[in-house]
Structure formats: structure tokens, C-alpha cells
Amino acid sequence: MRLKTFGGLWVENADSGAAGSPRPRSLAVLAILAAAGSKGASRDQIIGVLWPESSADRARHVLSQTIYGLRKELGTEVLLAAPDLRLDADRITSDVEEFRRAVREKDWAAAAALYAGPFLSGFYLSDAPDFERWAESQRASLAADGLRAIEAQARECTASERSEEAIQLRRRLTQLDPVNARYAIAYMEALAVDGERTTALAHGKAYSDLLQQEFDADADPAVQQLMARLRDVERVPASPDVISPVSAGASVANTVTVDAPVAAPALPNARVAFHRHALIAAGIVGLGVVAAIFGWRTTAVARDTPPILAVGRIREMAAPDSVEPAELLSEMLATSLSRLTDIEVIANSRMLELMPRNADSAHAAVSDVARRAGATQIIEGELIRLSGQRLRLDVRRVDLERGVVRAAYQVTGTDRVALLDSATSLVAADLRVGAPVGSLVEASTRSPTAYALYEKGLRAFYQFEIADAKRFFDAAVREDSTFVMAVYYAWRSATPGAPDQVPLAERALRLASRASARDGLLIRTHVGFWRQEPLSIAAAESLATLYPRDPEALLRAAERVPDLARATMLANRSIALDSAAGVLPGAICRLCEALSLLSHRYNWADSLDANERTLRRWIALRPADGPPWLALSQLLTGVGRRTEAQSAARKAADLSVRGAATFWDIDSDIRSDDFDAVDAQCATGLASADLSEYGRHRWACTIAMRMEGRYREAMALHRDGRVPGSGRIRRDLPADVSLAILEMEAGSPIVAADSFMAMARRWAANKREPENILARNTAWHLTLSATAAVAGGDSLRARGLIDSIEAIGRRSLYARDPQLHHFVRGLLYSRANQDLAAERALRASIVYPSNGYTRANLELGRTLLKLRRPTDGIPVVRAALHGGISGSGLYVSRTELHELLAQLFDAAGDRDSAMVHYAVVERGWRSADPFLRPRYEAARTRLATLRPRS
């Protein structure tokens, strides 16, 4: 038998095509198990999707009945039941499992054939919203892989000149995603190359009509421009002088010569000037389309795989005394070529990044940098002045491995930008890839001054002279406020928190559509991640897919994608590329950024061994770097390796890492549960006359006092400014969120619920921040309000907030927030003694085990203890102790976590570990407020019982 899930959901017999007719719930169970693959799914997982609101006993009974019914409906047993449920591969196969295997193996032909439509299309369970949410998430993931497979197979067919198959695949893409402009353009271009210009125009009109009817929107400008070129193609003469054979003995396939359009005189009206360049570009791109349709191609290109291009030196023979125009022309041509979406072009910024300081721009030096960047061919040439105002641009494509010229291009005209546009279109036609839409000026700037300043800024930026780079970029933006890449790098060079940082980010995002494909995605990913923009995740995936050998693209994608495994893969690929190319001393170290990112992601996932391996790998690769030593010190402190942590902190200080010398203070003492050291630090820090030092200690010491159960002192510090143990009163700082947390934990939870609600309303009324930032803070404070309400016995209030938390949390891009409603549900289940339902909900709420809402770890640990599964609870609670003091230490006190860990180890029969954690509780709560006395006595008594008698 075979389970079909794409385009519907049914079971078919491999021989007759017919099978039994399982009921919808039975089919849903099969779909869940098919999606789970060979690892299967537990009964609790299936229950959580199909019967989440039922009691545990009833849900298990209904699942058993469904499995029994499935056996009767199909006439055979198709499930294996130990230890988890999974499909019996000998009796039933599934298209979704085969599809995922094909995608993993990059068997695009098989994957494209298997993806027959959306996952479970048309199949619904009206009374199972959790199943619909599960199906939607699976559908989105599989759709992305399906479209990727079909597109990859279409490219393979095009490369092997199977044009009919390629056209059919591209048509499928337009059917699966009919409003995607990129799919529409690729389909139309494939038709045009195959001589089906009328069909291509018909599809363009259908695409335009669809957008107008469904969305009241105009077609993408690129589609409109392509349609215009296809309509005009018959009126473009194919001049016999366009291509001339190479002289005897030349080592190129052919030379292309074009007389570039002559630029009109400069006009004072900027809008008119913009359209002039756009018209010039349209003519050039039209030539590129004609070249594609009529088969202008070189024998060399037909024989080889597409090259990876870099741009070397374009010498300015028209101004031989100036070295700047040569560098400027190289940057401009690299930007122009980067608009080619079907071929990889090394960004000029990457070339500058790898260029040694004070290196000359001779052919050998530039070629070496191009090789290290991964290029296989380099473009170099000259700009020569002819009579009058006329110029000639001669460029050559040179094979970096053999040093031979693969092709040469010659363009004449009076406008530098038009010459570069023409050269780009000729390279595109020669390599049989789509010509870029529009002109270079649209992706960069009309101002030579702005371009020159931008190029100087890039050189300074990639030599880590950030202040100088910022001045150059700012000057370029002043020359042309629409120069998108200058705006982007001005944002990257801005000091964190500087007044212009946010405006620059907003402007870069607004202008991203003007940049080249690669740069536009880079901006949407990088700036979008910083701004928490919703589309940044999709941009990151596209960036990684389209530019798999670009370390900057891979790093920014790794930074943004939510999945740890994918982020790890992308970051490691970026590290490998940078390691192969070599990172220059004194230059931007992207490799360091990637390793830091890996460490950060492992830390949040509580993958301590992987985090330590990453930091030691960083140290091995860059022994003179201090930051990995500081990060290692923090990691070792969190796991109790205090001596090693102190040694790592001293090493970081020796390497002049800012803050390393002061790390080993109250932060590390708190994470080491060294209460005596914490008290000494607080006595000194809270007496400091320096306001910032006092503020830092007030925050940290409040966390420490909660650990020691000294709530009355902590509340007096925040409410009245009374400094513990000194009699001093300081009202330098207002109360912050710490006061509400203290109220929640120390007997006034309803007051705290009101305080958190007031904070949520202030965020909801804020109009200055982006919507997803407002959603993040509103959902978070509503969750804290619900937490406090449950603690105060007002379950009704908490239940009334769940829908708001869920709806608002979905609008946040922070992975924790869409899951917060599960925590409140779990809390309510727990209070109602529905422990299995509580476990499922609380588990669903935990995204970052070490740095999320660690009260969820505490509540889940308590639930697992009630369920008599202490060994399951130990890693959950222990993970919360590994976070920083503003994570686990803020949302729940470390001493409470130690108390629960002691109880879990005790219940699991691990006497020694239980004693360790009971001892922390005994030391921490010796001077606690009276309301904690019973818990202190219980811990002290149990510790005495466990200790061996002398």
C-alpha cells in the first residue's frame, strides 16, 4: 500500500490502485506518522495534535480505538508500535518520506516528480484546530522544498538543453505560485528562448490580469519590462557588425563589439535624468534578449559550466594620472555584473576584504585575491579615450587556472554608465544568462563623487577602520541619499545606539529593491534581522540558497534562520569559505562572527558540549583573539568549573578584552551560588557614587537577594531606595520590572498582575516601534500578568488573556513569543491537576531551554515530579541554571531551581546529586524571610537525613 499526501490524502493499493477507505481521523494518524518518518511519533505527540483538550485517559482510549479501526479499514496491520508508533515500511510507503529523502540527497528529478501539490490539500478536520496548525506548518516547509526541487530540476534541464522539459517545470512553478514574479519571468524567458514569444506574452498578460483582479495591484515592474522587450524584439535589427570574428591566433571564442547608446546632456530635473538612464538600459537589455533568442553564444560557454566571476582592475586610460578612477570602475562593473541573477559574481566588497593592506592592484595580486574568493574567471580591461567625447571600454574574461582569455568585449560611447551597462548585457548574452533589468544607476548612484566616497569607505571598512569608513559612507549618502549600498554600510558602521542608526536601517530597507539581487537580499536579511522584520526569514533562506559560496550571505542567513541545525550548517559553511580564503590581520573577521554566532545558538539551545567545542575551535583558529576566552569563562562558570573559568577570564583580560577583568565579579558569583561573595560585592557596588555602577548592582543584587529569600530588603531598595545594611536612601533610579517580579513572588501576585498589565498596555499604545517589536513586548508582559494572576488564584483572569497572548505573540519574530500561550495553558492545566495536558503544553512553550522563560522549566519540572518521572525533569530544570543572570535568574530564582533539582535527584535515587542541591538551598535561605522558612527547614532536614553518619 501507498499513502499519498501531496495534493490530498488517501491510501492506494500498489497493484489495483484501490484500498480501503479509512475514516478521516485514521487518515490523520497516518499523515502524522508519514511526516514523522522512520523515527515515528509517540502516542502523546499524536494525542497533542488530534485530541489536545481530552483528558489523558480518554485521549489514549480514543487513539487505541482509532488504531484498531485502521487495521479493520485497511485489512492489514500497517503500524509498528514499539517503542513509538511508526509506519511499517514493508506494508505501506508514503510519498512524503520519499520526497524528503530525495531532497536530502539532492535528487531533484525525483523530488520534483513526487511533489504533486500542497501537503494534505483539501483535507480538513473541522474539530481539530491543532491538527490544522500542524498541517499548515508541514505544508509550508514541504512547499518550500517542493518549489526548490522543481526549480533546481528546471535549471538542470536548461543546462542540458532539454528545453521542453524545462518549460514544463517552469510552468508548474507558475501554477503552484501564480503571483511569484520570479517564476513568471523565468517561464516567459524560457518560452522566448524556445521561440514561443507569443505564448510568453500571453502568460505575462495573464499574470498581470491576475494581480489586478485579485489584489488590485500592477504587475511586477520586471515582468512589465520583459513584456515590453518581447513586443519590441522584432523591431530590433540584428546588425551584421554586432559580432566580429577574432583575429587569427587569439585565444578567445569571439569578440563582441557594440556601439553603446550616446548619453543625452545632463538635465537639471532628476526625474528626467533617471528616465534617460532607464531608457538607455532598456535598449541594452533588449539587445541581450535578442542575443538569447537568436542563439548568440560562444562555443566555449556551451562547453563549460557557468564560471564564477570576479572583477579585477579596469584601468582608466582616459585619466592616466589618477589611480582612483580605475578602482572606481572596478567597483561599478562588479556592481553591474552582480545584477545577473543566474551566475555567481564575487562582490567587490569581498575582494577588498581579502586584499592585503597596502597591496598594489597589479594583475597578480588581484588574481590571487579572486582565486581565494572562489572565482574561476576574472574580468579586467581598460577604458580608452577616443576622439571628441567618445570612449571605448575593452574588457576580457580570463580563466584564472590557465591564464587564457576566454572572451573579449568592446563597447564605445560617451557615457561611462551606459558603457558598463552594455558590457554587462554582452557578458550575459555570451554566458547565456538573463540580462539585468534596468541600469546600473538604479542599483547604485548617478553621482561619481558618491561612488568614489563609497569605494573609499569599503576599503576602510574591510581594514577595520570603522570610524573612517563611517565618514566616507555618510559623505556618499549626503551626495546621493538614494545610494542604497552607501546607506547600508553607513548603518553597519554606525555606533550602536547612535541617533542615526535607526533612520539608516529604515532607509536601507526602503531602498533595498534598488540594489542588485544579492545586495537586496543581504539588506533585507541583515537589517531586517536587526529590526525584527517579518520578511527577513524568507530573505535569509533565499540568500543562502542563491549564494551558497558567498560567506557574507551564508553568515547573515545563519544569523536569521530559526532552525538550529540549518543555522549551524550555514555558519560552518561560511567558516570553511573564510578559512580557505584566509582572514587578514587587522581586517573584519567574519569567521569570528560566525563562530560567535554558533556559540550563541548552542548556548541558547543548552548544547553545552557543542558550545565548548566551538569556543575551543575559535581559540585554535585565532589564538590571539580574546572574546572566545571570555565566552569560555562564562560557559565554565555556568557549569560549575570555577577554577577553569577564572583562568579563562584572566586569559581574556591578558588579551585586552573589554570587560574581561570585571566579568569575574557579581555576575559570576551569582552563577556560582557564592552567596558570601555576592553579599560582599553588593555592599561595595550599592555604595558606589557612580550612577551606572549603582544601577548595574541594583539590578544584579535584586536577583541575588531573591536567591537568598531577602524579599523585604529587595522591595525596600526598589520602592524607597533603602540600601540594605547601610541606612542610606538613594532615589537616583525609578523602580523597574524587578519590583513587579518581587511582588509576584513575595505574596502580592495580584498587585504584580496589575503592574504587568499596565506595562503591556503601554507597549500596545506605543506607536514609535515596529509592529513586531510591540507585539513581542505586549505578549511578554501579558504572559507575566497571567503568571502572576494564576499565582494569586485568579485563573479566570489568566484564561481570559490566553487568546490575546496567542494572537499578539504570532506577530512577533522572537521564537519564544508565539509559544507563550502554551505556558499559560500549561499553568492552568497544572493547577487543575491535569498533569499530562500540563506537560504537553509546558513543553510546547519552551523554545530556548537555557534562556527562554525559565519559569516554564520550573513548572514543567514540578509536573514531571508529580508524574513520577524525575529523570525526565532533571535536564529541563538544570538547563535553566545554565542561562545568564538576566534569564534564569530574573524569571525564577536560582535557589528555587536548586530546590526542585534536589527533589528530582532525590526521587530518582541519586543521593549525592540531591545533597549538592539541598546544600545550596540550605546556604541560600538561611536568612530568608519568614514565608520561606518551612521550605528551608524541609531542605535542611532532608539534607541531614541524606548525609552519611560518621
Side-chain angles (χ1 to χ4, degrees):
M1 288 182 190
R2 182 170 177 77
L3 180 68
K4 294 292 191 72
T5 65
F6 290 121
L9 179 60
W10 71 98
V11 179
E12 68 177 21
N13 189 289
D15 299 321
S16 65
S21 300
R23 291 174 299 174
R25 291 279 170 166
S26 301
L27 283 172
V29 170
L30 290 177
I32 293 169
L33 294 177
S38 59
K39 67 175 185 265
S42 69
R43 285 175 169 79
D44 286 346
Q45 288 173 317
I46 297 172
I47 288 169
V49 173
L50 292 175
W51 300 281
E53 304 301 328
S54 299
S55 66
D57 290 343
R58 173 170 172 72
R60 285 183 173 272
H61 175 72
V62 173
L63 176 59
S64 297
Q65 291 296 107
T66 302
I67 294 171
Y68 174 75
L70 183 61
R71 186 184 308 122
K72 292 183 64 177
E73 290 155 0
L74 293 179
T76 185
E77 179 64 79
V78 296
L79 302 185
L80 299 175
D84 292 330
L85 290 174
R86 58 188 174 91
L87 297 182
D88 185 346
D90 293 333
R91 295 174 183 267
I92 188 168
T93 60
S94 75
D95 56 355
V96 67
E97 186 171 6
E98 291 175 10
F99 171 77
R100 283 181 165 148
R101 185 186 310 118
V103 170
R104 284 196 302 271
E105 295 171 356
K106 293 185 170 52
D107 184 351
W108 303 125
L114 285 163
Y115 188 74
F119 180 69
L120 306 191
S121 177
F123 179 84
Y124 300 100
L125 294 177
S126 59
D127 56 345
D130 282 17
F131 175 77
E132 295 307 318
R133 283 191 285 270
W134 170 84
E136 186 58 41
S137 67
Q138 296 287 326
R139 189 175 298 130
S141 171
L142 291 165
D145 284 339
L147 294 170
R148 181 159 63 100
I150 296 169
E151 191 169 20
Q153 181 63 10
R155 285 197 296 268
E156 288 183 9
C157 291
T158 300
S160 58
E161 299 187 349
R162 290 178 285 154
S163 60
E164 283 191 24
E165 191 176 344
I167 288 171
Q168 290 305 314
L169 288 165
R170 296 208 179 276
R171 182 169 178 269
R172 277 184 67 194
L173 288 171
T174 64
Q175 293 170 334
L176 290 167
D177 191 352
V179 297
N180 187 305
R182 185 163 63 84
Y183 293 161
I185 290 169
Y187 177 47
M188 293 165 67
E189 287 178 339
L191 287 168
V193 170
D194 208 48
E196 297 289 339
R197 186 174 61 85
T198 303
T199 308
L201 283 168
H203 181 77
K205 184 178 184 306
Y207 168 83
S208 302
D209 291 346
L210 175 66
L211 287 182
Q212 190 65 48
Q213 293 166 9
E214 297 294 330
F215 305 103
D216 193 24
D218 293 332
D220 188 285
V223 176
Q224 297 178 31
Q225 290 164 354
L226 176 56
M227 291 176 69
R229 295 199 302 273
L230 291 172
R231 289 191 191 99
D232 294 342
V233 72
E234 292 179 350
R235 296 195 290 272
V236 178
S239 168
D241 297 327
V242 168
I243 301 180
S244 58
V246 183
S247 58
S251 57
V252 295
N254 54 22
T255 299
V256 181
T257 305
V258 171
D259 193 54
V262 179
L267 299 175
N269 186 308
R271 185 177 180 84
V272 173
F274 173 83
H275 282 293
R276 171 173 63 81
H277 284 291
L279 288 171
I280 291 170
I284 296 166
V285 175
L287 176 63
V289 172
V290 174
I293 292 174
F294 287 96
W296 293 350
R297 55 187 69 170
T298 66
T299 55
V301 173
R303 200 169 49 239
D304 296 341
T305 56
I308 301 171
L309 298 179
V311 176
R313 191 179 185 201
I314 308 297
R315 292 184 296 162
E316 172 67 274
M317 307 302 288
D321 296 332
S322 171
V323 79
E324 286 187 2
E327 298 166 344
L328 187 56
L329 283 170
S330 299
E331 162 62 32
M332 293 173 72
L333 182 56
T335 301
S336 185
L337 288 168
S338 69
R339 296 178 297 139
L340 301 176
T341 57
D342 296 324
I343 197 165
E344 189 170 352
V345 180
I346 303 297
N348 194 54
S349 58
R350 177 65 169 164
M351 298 285 285
L352 292 174
E353 177 186 350
L354 297 176
M355 184 70 70
R357 191 186 297 268
N358 300 321
D360 62 27
S361 56
H363 170 80
V366 178
S367 296
D368 177 62
V369 168
R371 288 189 196 92
R372 289 163 56 205
T376 59
Q377 294 183 12
I378 189 168
I379 291 182
E380 53 192 17
E382 302 82 30
L383 182 67
I384 302 167
R385 184 177 296 281
L386 304 176
S387 59
Q389 298 296 314
R390 293 179 67 74
L391 301 167
R392 189 179 80 213
L393 178 63
D394 293 336
V395 291
R396 300 167 297 282
R397 260 193 314 116
V398 181
D399 189 293
L400 282 168
E401 182 179 359
R402 295 186 293 164
V404 298
V405 177
R406 302 299 299 271
Y409 315 92
Q410 188 178 94
V411 197
T412 59
T414 60
D415 185 287
R416 280 177 168 79
V417 172
L419 292 172
L420 294 168
D421 282 338
S422 297
T424 300
S425 290
L426 292 174
V427 171
D430 194 19
L431 296 177
R432 297 161 55 197
V433 298
V437 176
S439 171
L440 168 62
V441 294
E442 297 171 40
S444 56
T445 177
R446 296 183 62 251
S447 167
T449 303
Y451 226 131
L453 289 165
Y454 167 68
E455 199 274 341
K456 288 182 178 179
L458 281 180
R459 288 181 178 275
F461 183 85
Y462 283 104
Q463 294 298 334
F464 212 61
E465 297 164 354
I466 304 300
D468 291 340
K470 183 67 161 67
R471 285 194 293 272
F472 285 126
F473 292 135
D474 285 345
V477 174
R478 284 194 295 272
E479 284 288 328
D480 183 355
S481 62
T482 65
F483 188 1
V484 56
M485 293 309 292
V487 173
Y488 168 62
Y489 275 98
W491 168 76
R492 287 189 67 174
S493 307
T495 303
D500 64 343
Q501 192 178 27
V502 171
L504 284 169
E506 292 174 345
R507 190 188 303 178
L509 287 172
R510 285 198 305 271
L511 295 172
S513 59
R514 289 174 56 92
S516 67
R518 180 259 188 193
D519 291 341
L521 288 170
L522 183 68
I523 292 168
R524 291 186 180 97
T525 299
H526 194 187
V527 184
F529 172 54
W530 187 77
R531 292 280 293 167
Q532 289 289 289
E533 295 290 340
L535 294 178
S536 58
I537 296 177
E541 289 290 357
S542 297
L543 190 65
T545 301
L546 294 173
Y547 304 96
R549 288 185 290 266
D550 184 331
E552 173 83 355
L554 294 170
L555 172 61
R556 298 308 162 202
E559 191 174 52
R560 188 65 195 98
V561 296
D563 180 65
L564 175 64
R566 179 145 174 78
T568 300
M569 181 269 289
L570 295 173
N572 277 318
R573 193 188 299 167
S574 178
I575 292 167
L577 288 167
D578 266 336
S579 299
V583 179
L584 299 173
I588 292 286
C589 178
R590 189 185 298 104
L591 178 148
C592 306
E593 278 193 83
L595 287 163
S596 177
L597 170 67
L598 277 179
S599 171
H600 177 80
R601 296 295 290 264
Y602 283 135
N603 177 43
W604 280 60
D606 200 41
S607 298
L608 302 180
D609 291 341
N611 189 6
E612 183 174 353
R613 286 196 303 272
T614 299
L615 292 172
R616 296 196 182 279
R617 175 187 177 192
W618 186 355
I619 290 167
L621 287 169
R622 306 266 301 183
D625 285 359
W629 285 105
L630 179 58
L632 182 61
S633 174
Q634 295 167 332
L635 169 65
L636 296 172
T637 297
V639 296
R641 292 155 66 182
R642 191 175 175 89
T643 303
E644 294 175 78
Q646 285 176 310
S647 176
R650 284 194 297 270
K651 182 67 174 178
D654 292 343
L655 293 168
S656 302
V657 178
R658 184 179 178 185
T662 60
F663 167 70
W664 200 260
D665 55 13
I666 191 167
D667 302 67
S668 55
D669 287 334
I670 287 175
R671 296 180 70 191
S672 302
D673 304 305
D674 189 339
F675 301 108
D676 292 338
V678 168
D679 291 344
Q681 292 271 6
C682 288
T684 303
L686 292 174
S688 173
D690 181 84
L691 186 59
S692 63
E693 187 69 10
Y694 167 71
R696 176 174 175 268
H697 276 82
R698 190 181 77 157
W699 175 267
C701 293
T702 300
I703 292 171
M705 284 187 279
R706 286 169 55 214
M707 288 172 60
E708 297 180 56
R710 295 160 54 197
Y711 283 89
R712 287 180 299 187
E713 292 178 84
M715 293 178 78
L717 175 63
H718 279 268
R719 281 180 177 162
D720 308 320
R722 296 182 182 278
V723 178
S726 70
R728 296 181 60 200
I729 294 179
R730 294 190 64 164
R731 295 192 173 93
D732 314 72
L733 296 173
D736 56 27
V737 69
S738 298
L739 180 58
I741 294 174
L742 290 165
E743 289 169 334
M744 179 174 70
E745 295 178 347
S748 303
I750 298 302
V751 174
D754 292 339
S755 298
F756 288 129
M757 179 60 73
M759 296 176 198
R761 286 173 178 149
R762 284 197 293 273
W763 275 106
N766 187 319
K767 302 301 181 186
R768 298 186 303 275
E769 298 288 343
E771 182 184 355
N772 58 81
I773 299 295
L774 301 180
R776 171 177 177 173
N777 286 282
T778 305
W780 173 234
H781 286 96
L782 287 175
T783 302
L784 292 175
S785 181
T787 305
V790 173
D794 193 348
S795 297
L796 188 61
R797 183 199 288 207
R799 189 171 287 108
L801 291 175
I802 288 176
D803 289 343
S804 296
I805 293 169
E806 182 174 7
I808 297 170
R810 283 176 180 167
R811 301 203 300 268
S812 168
L813 287 186
Y814 191 51
R816 174 198 66 189
D817 302 327
Q819 310 305 319
L820 287 173
H821 68 98
H822 290 299
F823 170 77
V824 183
R825 296 180 198 277
L827 210 54
L828 292 170
Y829 283 136
S830 179
R831 296 302 181 270
N833 293 316
Q834 297 181 37
D835 296 325
L836 285 174
E839 181 200 354
R840 287 195 299 271
L842 291 168
R843 281 194 188 280
S845 75
I846 298 176
V847 179
Y848 303 122
S850 296
N851 289 276
Y853 186 21
T854 44
R855 187 161 286 277
N857 299 58
L858 181 77
E859 294 294 342
L860 179 55
R862 286 172 173 169
T863 298
L864 291 167
L865 184 61
K866 287 171 65 179
L867 290 170
R868 298 182 181 180
R869 290 161 51 195
T871 54
D872 291 344
I874 289 168
V876 172
V877 180
R878 188 162 48 195
L881 286 172
H882 296 152
I885 66 168
S886 290
S888 57
L890 181 62
Y891 308 141
V892 60
S893 82
R894 289 177 61 88
T895 311
E896 278 192 283
L897 293 170
H898 281 296
E899 178 191 39
L900 180 55
L901 270 175
Q903 294 166 354
L904 288 165
F905 278 117
D906 202 351
D910 188 339
R911 175 179 180 149
D912 292 340
S913 296
M915 288 171 56
V916 168
H917 293 284
Y918 278 129
V920 175
V921 177
E922 194 278 329
R923 287 189 291 108
W925 283 348
R926 282 177 189 171
S927 302
D929 290 352
F931 78 92
L932 285 171
R933 203 70 192 172
R935 290 164 68 180
Y936 165 75
E937 291 294 345
R940 188 172 69 88
T941 301
R942 187 57 185 159
L943 177 62
T945 302
L946 292 173
R947 277 178 175 156
R949 299 178 183 275
S950 57

